[in-house]
């Protein structure tokens, strides 16, 4: 895989196959936490960190531990436990060595264990990039999985921030009584999601034009 | 008699009064993602119900043994075990459905309905009550999924369970099959639900799992602010 292909994977996950708005992963924080800008930003940053670290750990586990021993069916149990442990480890490490980062992200970390986009990205990365090992070798596949995780995380952050802005406008509006609260939030999410459909094919064309 | 009444009440709670999707607003990811076809929606509902009932039974049976400090990891292991069982059964007998549902079968592990019922109900009630609660919630979930899947399949592809209902000459609204359609149908369904509640003069306050998350964040921040001020 060339650098252009990595860039395509990364930007596709932000704009075209956005995890939240197009693939419906991590809807809970998207609908709840996006009420406040600072919380959305903090949550998004924490998700990026956890997604990349979790994929960095689970991908080799999938290849060298599960697939090597024909234990593929244990994937769900192993991955969710690894994520739960990792989140705790990240929390402890940040607290000890990078207190500045801990003070801004620490609040969000415990909530991320049960966030489905983190488990989702580890499973999808394993699904998509384990077959790549045969043609391109482990190093390239591993790097691609990490790029995928980073793209998914940045996509989550972008969706949260954009939707937070949309929401503040919606809250100032006066919808029909039945639509107040969650229903109008969902309908505005539909329109935000529709705007992301407009990016289809954009990334490939830009990358092709540049290379 | 009173005893029987309450068991019946526990069972029916999940179907309408405490419908997990439209009233408690739990587990929105799968509701939005796999409802493009009626069969997929019902298949997901059945898988979810199985995991919900089994995990509720086990968690409630073990509720006095599981230490409070590590209850979440314990719940996750129990739930993940049953999800793996479902995965293997589906892979063996309905491989097509398994492919359609994809990653969302694994994601049942972190679905808020199951963790939510474990925390709200199974850890405080007897095994039988928890099983009934799981079954009721599961049926409520299946019905809502079927409703959403039916609407989306009918408008999006003009079919129901693969049978053509709307003649081919009418253009399909394919947007219903893609992501925006999911958000839109869910929003409109919920608005309908709120409208009915207002008609019956029984409005409730909806609190999704995300709202609970935001509250936790705010509480943690407030506590930290207080700690910082003291230091």
């Amino acid at each position: 895989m060339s650098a252009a292909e990595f860039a395509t994977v990364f930007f596709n996950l932000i704009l075209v196959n956005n995890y939240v708005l197009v693939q419906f992963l991590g809807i809970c924080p998207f609908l709840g936490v996006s009420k406040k800008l600072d919380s959305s930003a903090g949550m998004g940053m924490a998700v990026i960190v956890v997604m990349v670290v979790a994929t960095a750990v689970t991908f080799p586990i999938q290849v060298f531990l599960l697939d090597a021993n024909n234990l593929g069916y244990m994937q769900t149990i192993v991955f969710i436990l690894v994520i739960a442990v990792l989140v705790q480890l990240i929390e402890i490490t940040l607290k000890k060595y990078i207190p500045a980062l801990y003070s801004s992200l620490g609040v969000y970390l415990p909530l991320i264990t049960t966030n489905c986009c983190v488990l989702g990205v580890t499973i999808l990365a394993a699904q998509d990039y384990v077959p790549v090992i045969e043609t391109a070798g482990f190093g390239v596949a591993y790097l691609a999985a990490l790029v995928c995780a980073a793209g998914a995380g940045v996509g989550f952050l972008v969706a949260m921030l954009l939707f937070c802005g949309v929401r503040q406008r919606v809250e100032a509006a006066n919808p029909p009584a039945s639509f107040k609260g969650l229903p109008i939030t969902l309908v505005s999410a539909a329109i935000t999601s529709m705007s992301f459909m407009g990016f289809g094919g954009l990334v490939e064309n830009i990358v092709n034009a540049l290379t | 008699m009173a005893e029987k009444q309450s068991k019946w009440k526990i069972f029916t709670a999940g179907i309408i009064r405490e419908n997990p999707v439209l009233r408690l607003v739990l587990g929105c990811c799968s509701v939005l993602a796999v409802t493009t076809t009626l069969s997929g929606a019902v298949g997901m509902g059945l898988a979810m119900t199985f995991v919900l009932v089994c995990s509720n039974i086990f968690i409630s049976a073990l509720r006095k043994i599981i230490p409070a400090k590590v209850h979440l990891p314990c719940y996750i292991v129990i739930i993940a075990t049953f999800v793996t069982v479902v995965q293997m059964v589906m892979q063996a007998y309905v491989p097509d459905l398994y492919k359609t549902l994809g990653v969302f079968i694994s994601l049942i592990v972190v679905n808020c309905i199951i963790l939510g019922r474990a925390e709200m109900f199974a850890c405080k009630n007897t095994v039988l009550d928890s099983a009934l609660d799981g079954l009721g919630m599961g049926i409520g979930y299946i019905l809502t999924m079927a409703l959403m899947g039916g609407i989306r399949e009918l408008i999006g592809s003009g079919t129901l369970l693969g049978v053509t209902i709307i003649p081919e000459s009418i253009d399909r609204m394919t947007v219903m099959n893609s992501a925006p359609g999911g958000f839109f149908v869910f929003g409109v369904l919920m608005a309908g639900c709120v409208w009915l509640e207002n008609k019956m003069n029984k409005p409730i306050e909806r609190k999704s799992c995300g709202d609970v998350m935001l509250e936790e964040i705010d509480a943690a921040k407030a506590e930290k602010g207080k700690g910082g001020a003291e230091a």
Side-chain angles (χ1 to χ4, degrees), chain A residues 20-36 38-39 43 73-77 80-81 84 102-108 110-111 113-117 119-120 123-124 127 167 177-180 182-184 186-187 189-191 193-194 197, chain B residues 25-30 32-34 72-73 76-77 80-81 83-84 87-88 91 102-107 109-112 115 152 175 178-184 186-188 190-192 194-195 198 206-211 213-214 216-218 220-221 224:
Chain A
V20 181
L21 290 166
V22 179
Q23 302 197 36
F24 296 126
L25 295 164
I27 298 291
C28 296
F30 176 68
L31 291 179
V33 183
S34 65
K35 267 182 201 153
K36 291 186 177 161
D38 58 335
S39 300
M43 186 93 181
Y73 62 89
M74 292 287 283
Q75 192 192 46
T76 313
I77 297 187
I80 187 70
L81 286 179
Y102 178 76
S103 67
S104 56
L105 297 188
V107 179
Y108 307 98
L111 296 170
T113 312
T114 52
N115 187 339
C116 56
C117 58
L119 182 61
I123 293 176
L124 289 175
Q127 203 178 63
R167 249 184 125 151
S178 333
F179 273 93
K180 280 211 172 91
L182 262 178
I184 193 71
L186 285 163
V187 173
I191 296 167
S193 160
M194 208 179 284
M197 284 176 86
Chain B
V25 206
L26 295 171
C28 318
C29 295
S30 56
L32 292 165
V34 298
L72 204 60
I76 289 179
V77 173
T81 311
V83 171
T84 309
Q87 273 182 317
M88 293 170 94
Q91 248 169 335
V103 71
F104 286 95
I105 291 288
S106 307
L107 289 182
V109 180
V110 283
N111 195 299
C112 341
L115 275 175
R152 283 181 76 185
V175 70
S178 52
F183 281 116
F184 185 75
F186 192 33
V188 172
M190 198 176 279
V194 176
W195 181 79
N198 290 344
R206 278 187 171 64
K207 209 171 178 188
S208 71
C209 32
D211 293 330
M213 247 180 233
L214 190 62
E216 271 175 43
I217 292 172
D218 286 345
K221 272 188 183 161
K224 213 171 62 187

Side-chain angles (χ1 to χ4, degrees), chain B:
Chain B
M1 192 63 205
E3 176 76 354
K4 205 178 170 189
Q5 186 77 24
S6 73
K7 292 258 184 290
W8 179 248
K9 259 198 173 147
I10 290 171
F11 173 63
T12 52
I15 300 176
I16 294 176
R17 206 170 54 245
E18 288 182 26
N19 186 297
V21 180
L22 289 172
R23 304 264 291 184
L24 303 182
V25 206
L26 295 171
C28 318
C29 295
S30 56
V31 174
L32 292 165
V34 298
T35 49
T36 45
T37 59
L38 184 54
S39 55
V42 174
M44 182 73 193
L46 289 174
M48 183 71 119
T49 309
F50 173 78
V51 179
L52 193 51
V53 172
C54 294
S55 66
N56 258 6
I57 289 174
F58 265 70
I59 287 167
S60 118
L62 297 173
R63 68 185 185 280
K64 286 178 187 138
I65 305 171
I66 296 176
K69 242 184 167 173
V70 290
H71 70 284
L72 204 60
C74 294
Y75 293 171
I76 289 179
V77 173
I78 293 173
I79 297 166
T81 311
F82 290 111
V83 171
T84 309
V85 171
V86 169
Q87 273 182 317
M88 293 170 94
V89 170
M90 287 182 82
Q91 248 169 335
Y93 295 103
V94 275
D96 290 340
L97 184 63
Y98 181 74
K99 258 185 216 134
T100 335
L101 299 180
V103 71
F104 286 95
I105 291 288
S106 307
L107 289 182
I108 294 179
V109 180
V110 283
N111 195 299
C112 341
I113 297 182
I114 295 183
L115 275 175
R117 286 331 279 175
E119 296 252 8
M120 282 190 263
F121 198 92
C123 67
K124 299 176 208 145
N125 289 283
T126 60
V127 175
L128 182 61
D129 286 355
S130 306
L132 284 175
D133 175 74
L135 196 61
M137 287 284 158
I139 293 174
Y141 180 78
I142 295 180
L143 290 178
T144 323
M145 291 287 277
L147 184 63
M148 246 188 96
I151 294 175
R152 283 181 76 185
E153 192 181 341
L154 190 64
I155 303 179
S157 341
T159 58
L160 269 184
L161 291 171
V163 181
T164 310
I165 305 279
I166 298 175
E168 301 276 348
S169 50
I170 297 170
D171 278 344
R172 309 294 193 229
M173 282 175 69
T174 40
V175 70
M176 285 296 169
N177 287 338
S178 52
F183 281 116
F184 185 75
V185 173
F186 192 33
V188 172
L189 265 187
M190 198 176 279
C193 195
V194 176
W195 181 79
L196 271 178
E197 280 159 15
N198 290 344
K199 266 261 140 114
M200 287 153 72
N201 262 328
K202 282 182 200 155
I204 55 159
E205 199 192 336
R206 278 187 171 64
K207 209 171 178 188
S208 71
C209 32
D211 293 330
V212 178
M213 247 180 233
L214 190 62
E215 274 169 20
E216 271 175 43
I217 292 172
D218 286 345
K221 272 188 183 161
E223 199 169 291
K224 213 171 62 187
K226 223 168 51 192
E230 276 165 17

Side-chain angles (χ1 to χ4, degrees), chain A residues 52-202:
Chain A
V52 174
V53 177
T55 311
V57 175
T58 52
F59 194 76
I61 288 183
Q62 173 77 30
V63 176
F64 296 116
L65 201 66
L66 298 181
D67 286 350
N69 297 311
N70 271 328
L71 289 172
Y73 62 89
M74 292 287 283
Q75 192 192 46
T76 313
I77 297 187
V78 171
F79 278 22
I80 187 70
L81 286 179
V82 166
I83 291 170
V85 172
L86 265 182
V87 170
Q88 295 269 313
L89 269 181
I90 295 175
E91 209 180 333
I92 295 168
T93 320
L94 284 186
K95 206 173 185 175
K96 181 103 170 68
Y97 296 107
I98 325 176
L101 200 58
Y102 178 76
S103 67
S104 56
L105 297 188
V107 179
Y108 307 98
L109 285 171
L111 296 170
I112 288 178
T113 312
T114 52
N115 187 339
C116 56
C117 58
V118 177
L119 182 61
V121 80
T122 55
I123 293 176
L124 289 175
Q127 203 178 63
D128 292 346
Y129 297 109
V130 167
V132 175
I133 294 177
E134 269 183 31
T135 51
F138 179 76
V140 175
Y142 190 49
L143 194 60
L146 291 183
V147 170
C148 164
V154 176
F156 181 85
L157 176 68
V158 168
M160 290 285 277
L161 292 180
L162 276 181
F163 194 57
C164 182
V166 172
R167 249 184 125 151
Q168 277 161 6
R169 293 297 175 95
V170 170
E171 252 155 50
N174 190 20
S178 333
F179 273 93
K180 280 211 172 91
L182 262 178
I184 193 71
T185 310
L186 285 163
V187 173
S188 42
I191 296 167
T192 316
S193 160
M194 208 179 284
S195 67
F196 270 68
M197 284 176 86
F199 291 122
L202 172 96

